[in-house]
Amino acid sequence: MSKVIGLFPTPLMKLDTFVDSMMLEQISAIARQGQKSSNSATDKLAHTQMISADEHQVLKQLKEKVGPHVASFGELLFAEKRQWTIKELWLNVLDYGGSQFMHTHANSFISGVVYITRSHSSANTVFRKSTGGGEFIFRNDVPVGHFNSDTWVLSDVAAGDVVLFPSYMLHGVPPNEGEQRITLAFNAIPDQLDSLGYKIKFQ
Ligand SMILES: [Fe+2]
């Protein structure tokens, strides 16, 4: 008998059709009306300012709904039950031709993306292994499997889906060849982490 064990896998949590269509419509309206600034690399991607969820009832509801999942994802990452806070959220409006460079989210442990509209298949979120690892450099450009590619495409996403991932994960969006794509992104931190009695608090 032979078996393959994936060592040190990175978790990514996907919540399918988690946000209902009424909430999606309300959040789309906030994205379209809100004050936006262009991305530094392309004017086809606009971000809203950081939004305080307290200003919009629907965002407050969304935070409350996704909160328990952030906490259970945090337990998976750190093996500790902690209080988690979604400390900031913002909306991304990606027009035809726009893209988002590979990036990570600083000052955060868990990041999330809520798909407010459907995402054209050309503009599916791509995750990339961090560069500079001590691995063989014989890789496939086209992801064919977890063990022989340094990218992974989140395909098959629908409006209302949510993904949670560790904030250090590189991710980006290739040029959008479809209709306008709106996502909501957020960052979350725990109240505290405890490593063998060495505690660090966040606020
Ligand atoms: Fe991001």
Side-chain angles (χ1 to χ4, degrees), residues 90 92 100 103-105 113 165 171 185:
W90 64 98
N92 302 302
Q100 170 68 294
H103 63 283
T104 58
H105 293 193
V113 175
F165 53 91
H171 61 284

Side-chain angles (χ1 to χ4, degrees), residues 6 11 31 51 76 85 96 104 112 114-115 138 145 165-166 170:
I51 304 173
L76 197 64
T85 304
Y96 178 89
T104 58
V114 184
Y115 293 85
F138 287 97
F165 53 91
L170 275 166

Side-chain angles (χ1 to χ4, degrees), residues 17-32 53 56-67 86 89 91 114-117 159-162 182-184 186:
T17 53
F18 184 74
V19 183
D20 65 53
S21 55
M22 211 204 285
M23 286 176 87
L24 292 177
E25 266 173 45
Q26 291 178 44
I27 299 170
S28 290
I30 297 169
R32 294 195 172 107
H56 302 276
Q57 188 60 23
V58 65
L59 297 180
K60 228 167 127 178
Q61 281 170 6
L62 179 68
K63 261 175 90 167
E64 279 163 17
K65 197 170 150 70
V66 80
I86 293 177
L89 51 87
L91 286 148
V114 184
Y115 293 85
I116 305 301
T117 60
D161 289 356
V162 177
I182 300 175
T183 52
L184 179 146
F186 61 81

Side-chain angles (χ1 to χ4, degrees), residues 7 9 85 110 119 123 133 196:
L7 294 183
T85 304
I110 295 175
S119 173
L196 292 173

Side-chain angles (χ1 to χ4, degrees), residues 13-177:
M13 182 182 277
K14 186 161 182 276
L15 310 166
D16 288 334
T17 53
F18 184 74
V19 183
D20 65 53
S21 55
M22 211 204 285
M23 286 176 87
L24 292 177
E25 266 173 45
Q26 291 178 44
I27 299 170
S28 290
I30 297 169
R32 294 195 172 107
Q33 288 158 12
Q35 259 220 325
K36 291 183 277 294
S37 48
S38 287
N39 184 262
S40 54
T42 170
D43 60 3
K44 302 226 168 40
L45 169 61
H47 313 278
T48 59
Q49 305 294 328
M50 293 299 164
I51 304 173
S52 161
D54 296 336
E55 287 169 29
H56 302 276
Q57 188 60 23
V58 65
L59 297 180
K60 228 167 127 178
Q61 281 170 6
L62 179 68
K63 261 175 90 167
E64 279 163 17
K65 197 170 150 70
V66 80
H69 297 276
V70 171
S72 74
F73 190 65
E75 197 177 342
L76 197 64
L77 283 177
F78 296 104
E80 284 183 57
K81 261 194 208 309
R82 303 291 349 162
Q83 288 281 106
W84 282 78
T85 304
I86 293 177
K87 63 190 179 85
E88 60 221 348
L89 51 87
W90 64 98
L91 286 148
N92 302 302
V93 179
L94 187 69
D95 286 325
Y96 178 89
S99 59
Q100 170 68 294
F101 277 127
M102 281 287 162
H103 63 283
T104 58
H105 293 193
N107 308 320
S108 171
F109 289 88
I110 295 175
S111 295
V113 175
V114 184
Y115 293 85
I116 305 301
T117 60
R118 76 182 274 273
S119 173
H120 186 266
S121 58
S122 59
N124 284 333
T125 308
V126 176
F127 290 88
R128 180 175 285 276
K129 276 187 195 172
S130 71
T131 51
E135 300 167 32
F136 305 118
I137 308 175
F138 287 97
R139 290 177 179 161
N140 293 291
D141 285 339
V142 180
V144 290
H146 283 293
F147 302 121
N148 48 36
S149 174
D150 57 6
T151 58
W152 183 79
V153 179
L154 177 69
S155 54
D156 203 19
V157 276
D161 289 356
V162 177
V163 289
L164 304 176
F165 53 91
S167 302
Y168 62 77
M169 281 281 290
L170 275 166
H171 61 284
V173 184
N176 181 14
E177 293 169 16

